[in-house]
Amino acid sequence: MQCNDVQSQKEHLGLEYALSQVFPPKQRELFLKKMRGEKLTKTEKEYYSRSVRKKVMALANEKLHQLAKSL
């Protein structure tokens, strides 16, 4: 059972590291809030749609993902 905890922690830290490579701290915070379904303030919504959403959409692009994996 402890092995699962270690694996889960390792995956969590891997995700945190990957997010930190793509998003500055504030954008990462907004991305995680949106992912958890938490309410965003009006200012956060505006900033998210102007900046974060564009990066998220690029990351979700399958062709870009394939290109990145081939490098």
Side-chain angles (χ1 to χ4, degrees), residues 11-28:
E11 288 175 12
H12 175 73
L13 291 175
L15 176 61
E16 285 292 324
Y17 178 74
L19 287 172
S20 73
Q21 296 298 301
V22 179
F23 298 108
K26 183 63 178 175
Q27 289 182 1
R28 187 170 61 247

Side-chain angles (χ1 to χ4, degrees), residues 42-55:
K42 181 182 179 205
T43 306
E44 288 175 333
K45 285 179 190 176
E46 291 170 355
Y47 183 65
Y48 181 87
S49 67
R50 254 190 352 264
S51 302
V52 182
R53 184 174 49 93
K54 293 174 184 176
K55 288 183 182 180

